[in-house]
Amino acid sequence: DAKTTQPNSMESNEEEPVHLPCNHSTISGTDYIHWYRQLPSQGPEYVIHGLTSNVNNRMASLAIAEDRKSSTLILHRATLRDAAVYYCILRDLYNNNDMRFGAGTRLTVKP
Amino acid sequence: DTGVSQDPRHKITKRGQNVTFRCDPISEHNRLYWYRQTLGQGPEFLTYFQNEAQLEKSRLLSDRFSAERPKGSFSTLEIQRTEQGDSAMYLCASSERDGGTDTQYFGPGTRLTVL
């Protein structure tokens, strides 16, 4: 299975942009890049996903490298509520019965 | 609230006892997943159902674990003869369809402590 590598932790100041990196050098052509986050004492929640093109939604933006071997989740203005563990996950289009979470990146947002 | 619900939220038990957890998925979601999460780690896949059929089980799911989804709606996860190593958060998720683009919606989890 293709794996992802993320920094263990990152810090940000409130109302500043945050760029959360993810490396996935063994990604296959049918792997979608998904991001979930887990707020304290809650289950994970979906953030965004993409295949090749950059994606935007109300929560975040996903920038995907041209060779697809890395991606970056962008929170445009971090709030205290964005403090969470962020998981970058690869899911094959045709064989995706489970999600393989790594340890993720713990984001701390300072006021 | 029409999200995924889990019951109980917390369970403390003594080693050797049996425990059962319940998950109610979002209505009309035909896929239901169970995960386990230990402190400081990401969730680990245990098993999933499509409607009432259990289609895949992880090697993490020992013989002491059994999951059911009898009518394709709610699901139960039972752990027999609990061990201290079973202490973890047990998460349930549901999704509407399969495919690499489906979104899994997670419940709040059941935290199990085995004394």
Side-chain angles (χ1 to χ4, degrees), chain B residues 18-53:
Chain B
N18 299 342
V19 294
T20 300
F21 310 140
R22 177 179 170 125
C23 170
D24 286 89
I26 294 172
S27 60
E28 300 180 355
H29 277 193
N30 57 33
R31 286 205 161 202
L32 186 148
Y33 306 80
W34 285 100
Y35 292 83
R36 181 176 70 185
Q37 184 174 26
T38 54
L39 201 60
Q41 302 299 315
E44 298 171 294
F45 169 77
L46 292 178
T47 188
Y48 91 95
F49 293 83
Q50 180 158 318
N51 300 312
E52 66 276 9

Side-chain angles (χ1 to χ4, degrees), chain A residues 32 34 36 38 41-46 49 87 91-104 106, chain B residues 9 31 33 35 37 40-45 48 56 89 91 98-109:
Chain A
Y32 279 78
H34 287 247
Y36 280 71
Q38 189 169 21
S41 302
Q42 295 187 26
E45 65 175 350
Y46 168 81
H49 77 272
Y87 298 100
R91 303 188 67 195
D92 186 271
L93 175 62
Y94 301 111
N95 183 23
N96 64 94
N97 299 325
D98 60 273
M99 288 201 290
R100 305 296 174 95
F101 290 81
R106 180 173 297 279
Chain B
R9 294 291 306 276
R31 286 205 161 202
Y33 306 80
Y35 292 83
Q37 184 174 26
Q41 302 299 315
E44 298 171 294
F45 169 77
Y48 91 95
E56 187 172 339
M89 176 76 82
L91 293 161
D98 57 358
T101 61
D102 80 322
T103 296
Q104 292 189 13
Y105 296 87
F106 284 80

Side-chain angles (χ1 to χ4, degrees), chain A residues 13-16 77-83 109:
Chain A
N13 294 317
E14 196 176 12
E15 298 190 3
E16 290 186 356
R77 289 184 66 203
T79 69
L80 297 178
R81 193 191 175 279
D82 291 321
V109 180

Side-chain angles (χ1 to χ4, degrees), chain A residues 72-85:
Chain A
T72 302
L73 180 70
I74 302 167
L75 307 179
H76 295 286
R77 289 184 66 203
T79 69
L80 297 178
R81 193 191 175 279
D82 291 321
V85 179

